[in-house]
Amino acid sequence: MFRSPQVVLFTRRIEAAAAFYRALGFIEVFREPAEGKAVHVDLELDGYRIGLATERSAREDHWLEPVASGQRAVVVLWTDDVRAGFDRLLELGAQPVHEPSVWLDRLLIAWLTDPDGHLLQVVQDLSTG
């Protein structure tokens, strides 16, 4: 019945947001319009898709009242090295929220925000290594 779930994040700066996620290894798989200033971009990493949509398009094309600020959702990025991932995200312009710390005695977790202020959680399973 359902398939291919994804999350769409509303943004005020779609090109900067898309560049940020591409720098993390996401591959752009959809852009509307194909030429010129985008109103929607989909990016994929390991079979998971994130969409980016402009606030304006959400309002004018879909009659929504989008929120592009605040902690309304989180993009979770699993890794084998949270500290290196945290540092890489900082290099790409993410802002730190909480340094890496152990949670539940088996997960190492760090929190940041992307350039639009969306939360990012970087997670490492300490029980597998």
Side-chain angles (χ1 to χ4, degrees):
M1 178 177 203
F2 298 107
R3 63 179 174 79
S4 305
Q6 82 177 76
V7 170
V8 174
L9 304 173
F10 297 117
T11 180
R12 293 183 179 116
R13 302 174 316 140
I14 195 163
E15 295 301 337
F20 176 82
Y21 285 98
R22 281 193 305 269
L24 293 179
F26 282 79
I27 305 297
E28 188 172 307
V29 295
F30 175 81
R31 175 178 283 262
E32 179 59 36
E35 303 281 330
K37 184 171 170 103
V39 296
H40 188 106
V41 175
D42 284 352
L43 301 111
E44 193 172 286
L45 178 68
D46 284 343
Y48 187 78
R49 190 177 281 211
I50 291 176
L52 301 169
T54 64
E55 285 181 290
R56 183 176 181 173
S57 174
R59 283 192 181 93
E60 294 176 5
D61 299 334
H62 303 291
W63 311 281
L64 301 175
E65 292 298 323
V67 176
S69 63
Q71 297 178 347
R72 311 275 302 172
V74 61
V75 174
V76 179
L77 301 168
W78 287 84
T79 181
D80 293 327
D81 188 341
V82 163
R83 293 179 203 295
F86 185 82
D87 290 343
R88 177 67 177 136
L89 287 163
L90 292 175
E91 290 170 8
L92 293 171
Q95 297 299 307
V97 175
H98 293 289
E99 298 278 330
S101 63
V102 176
W103 185 61
L104 298 177
D105 296 325
R106 63 182 175 83
L107 298 175
L108 184 60
I109 297 176
W111 293 90
L112 306 97
T113 59
D114 73 9
D116 279 315
H118 298 108
L119 279 170
L120 298 168
Q121 181 188 49
V122 185
V123 184
Q124 177 180 352
D125 186 346
L126 300 173
S127 68
T128 61

